[in-house]
Amino acid sequence: MKVLKFGGTSVGTAESILSVKSIVAAAEKPVVVVVSALGGVTDALLEAAARAEAGEPDYRARLDALRTRHLGLVDRLVADKAEKDSLKDRIEALLGRLCDLCRGVFLLRDLSERVRDEIASFGERLSATILASVLDDAVLLDPLRFIKTVQHGGRTELDSELTATLIQGTFQAYAAPGTVALVPGFIATDTESGRITTLGRGGSDYTASLIAAALDAELLEIWTDVDGFMTADPRIIQTSYPIDELSYAEAMELCNFGAKVIYPPSLYPVFRKDIPIRILNTFNPGAPGTLIQREARHGSAPIAGIASIGDTCLLTVSAPSMVDIIGVDSRIFSALAAAGISIFFVCQSSSETGISLGVRSADAERALELLSATFAREIAEGSMHPVALERGLSTVAVVGENMRHKTGVAGKLFSTLGRNGISIIAIAQGETKSNISFVVEQQFTRKALNVIHDSFFLSEYQELNLFVCGVGTVGAKLLEQIAGQSEKLMKERNLKINIVGIARSTKGIFDRAGIDPKNYRDRLENGIPLDIDKLRDEVIGMNIFNSVFVDCTASFEVATLYEAFFNHGISVVAANKVAASSDYGTYHKLKETAMRHGVKFLFETNVGAGLPIINTINDLCNSGDRIEKIEAVLSGTLNFIFNTISADVPFSETVRRAKEEGYSEPDPRIDLSGKDVIRKLVILSREAGYKVNQEDVQAEPFIPKEFFECSLEEFWAKLPSLDAGFEARRKELEARDERWRYVAKMEDGKYTVSLRTVGNHHSFYVLDGSNNIILITTERYHKHPMLIQGYGAGAGVTAAGVFADIMSIANI
Ligand code: ADP
Ligand code: ASP
Ligand code: MG
């Protein structure tokens, strides 16, 4: 015989009840069917009772809603008029009693446990009454006659022996082939007083398990709304998937740590009788579901599943030395057990100076009081510290019997957490070695579950989550390149690039599921309004793993956010030069903060666009070389200007073209003043190991001062006045076969940027268009310096450089 249990999620609507009907019709008979209240009804009943106790007349509206919901179902499910009327009468009778009870509570403003339990029992009584009419040939049995509880230490506990005997006695009459015995779950009666009690929230699973165990059923089927026991809570982890098989022990660990799929006490009765459980989906009955039995066959993954208790408080009992204090552990556990407080996590330091206990927040205050009272004398004497209570925490458990045979699981687990900036407050590993649990701050729960799930279950691909800030020329180009490349990266590198945020100066869109880089413009226009604080809060608030903030702006404000991002485990790739060229203290602190949090701060495109300059300097330094001298043409804009100037194209015209073709900054004076080159030289020198600031760089202006002091409009108007002077000098250079180059130089602690002339033997002489060139003289590259040359500006190559930085974070 099988026992089938249908949860509230399976009997919430007329459609789902019809699925239940066909599942039961297809089952081999005799069969026992246990049913929960309609989804949400138990909560609604308890809420109505609480409102009545508070003297709020709106409890009646809540009862009315329940009435409408149940009668509405009858209308939709039962066609025959006489049958419908009779069923409605039975429902009205139950509702009448429920209303009386709630009215009593309202009048007395008193809700005893006894009345609360009775009110809660109506959910299952109502749903089972409806199901009895809908299922073919079902006999409705009354669990109040055979599920028995006793009071123990103020708590309701199962009267297990009596229950087993009564079940066996009752069901003898329903063992004939073809019988469908229908039982409302969750409810029971007190052995002594006969009053209605319940088996606790989620208790219908328990009813079903007790019946299965007492009748030696061949299988217990738990029908719910997911395809089985999943690798993680599907409401939190979208990529979770059903587990084929679990052992009882694994299922127990996962359920105790919050996997809501089965009520934890339900596992024990069937485990004792070795009766397997199958978790199945009422909405997808063809799916194989999850089989839970003594020995489970496991796949290759070292763990079976992950679960979490998002409501954890940690109590710590500690002393400078507990060695001299006898029986601390026993006193702790006795005090809490006597009060019925359950401890789901214990962690004790080996030096015996402290023990930390995980309890739910509802129990925390009481537990604190009890433990403080238990050790009052020692605390007063100073031989123990006051008991500490930390709130707002979360416990995550990683479960799997495969862990016993595999090494390195803890290593992988904790390094994954560390890489994602999640710090661990306490750790415990069970003796069975099939559960490692740890406590983190509540805000990190989702992220911790995500990164663990990703690294243990989805290792066939890696996911990198990007926030792209700035969709001007570089940002837009980057998104275009990502769109074009993502399929290939997924196929060839197992890397999924997920754009989780796109922002421009006043608007942003954030979406964990991913934003299509081909079609984001309209979404962005309708995005949420942003200012700098909101941008920071949104990015950090998403608390997403393996994430990178990509700054494609030139904004000072955006650069001020990097430190907060590093502190939250987010890497930064910046095309924006502001941070790396800001004062040395800020630059240093940013690098140090990123390192401390195990995240990256990359800005290769700050100098020479996509050219591999900073990486090369880093590689040289890391391998023990010393950079002695840097000489470089680093301004694509200035190089363009001095390569374009000719007898036909005067100086002012070259500046205008540089602006129009997108080489220069919107205000070209940033280029003409050498400021941009100064910033680049500072960044390179710092990366080469020198402590330098922008003020340390000597700049020789080649344009009179007044051009920098006027408005941009005046500047453009005055610019042609310089043409004649430049033309005269250009002719001289042409005669000597020399060229202008704007050169940045670092040597012997001196930093200069200046317009120089180079002859045709100099390596800077041939340098087309907006190209950059850099000569690096080092201890090893001494006589013949290293030379890097190529496009030093342009959206395409800059975006490609940013993309390369992103790839190096993915470490593929
Ligand atoms: P029922 O009404 O059928 O008893 P429950 O709501 O009690 O259903 O339990 C099923 C729900 O448990 C699922 O809808 C799912 O959201 C949640 N859940 C949490 N963790 C897991 C997990 N690891 N596997 C499957 N479901 C889980
Ligand atoms: N209806 C009860 C509850 O919501 C029992 C159950 O669904 O298992 O807790
Ligand atoms: Mg349930």
Side-chain angles (χ1 to χ4, degrees), residues 1-3 30-34 139-143 146-147 163-176 179-184 207-208 210-212 214-215:
M1 189 199 260
K2 281 196 218 169
V3 177
V31 68
V32 180
V33 174
V34 176
V139 191
L140 179 59
L141 302 184
D142 183 1
F146 53 82
I147 308 283
T163 300
T165 314
L166 291 174
I167 291 172
Q168 284 153 3
T170 310
F171 282 80
Q172 259 170 17
Y174 305 100
T179 314
V180 177
L182 175 66
V183 184
T207 309
L210 292 169
I211 296 174
L215 301 182

Side-chain angles (χ1 to χ4, degrees), residues 27 36 125 197 289 306 398 418 530 575 587 625 643 678 685 702 765 773:
S36 293
R125 288 153 82 187
T197 53
I306 319 164
V398 170
L530 281 187
Y587 158 86
D625 207 348
N643 277 336
I678 292 174
S685 306
F702 60 90
Y765 180 85
I773 188 165

Side-chain angles (χ1 to χ4, degrees), residues 5 7-9 36 201-205 222 224 260-263:
K5 178 259 170 177
T9 51
S36 293
R201 297 307 308 272
S204 296
D205 296 332
I222 304 278
T224 180
K260 199 190 163 208
V261 94
I262 319 177
Y263 181 44

Side-chain angles (χ1 to χ4, degrees), residues 753-798:
V753 295
S754 58
L755 188 61
R756 283 169 35 188
T757 53
V758 294
N760 60 8
H761 294 298
H762 197 285
S763 29
F764 291 176
Y765 180 85
V766 180
L767 192 63
D768 288 340
S770 67
N771 283 6
N772 279 190
I773 188 165
I774 170 158
L775 280 171
I776 307 171
T777 310
T778 76
E779 254 167 32
R780 289 177 194 148
Y781 291 83
H782 199 80
K783 195 160 161 220
H784 300 289
M786 187 185 273
L787 187 147
I788 303 167
Q789 178 174 8
Y791 294 125
V797 285
T798 307

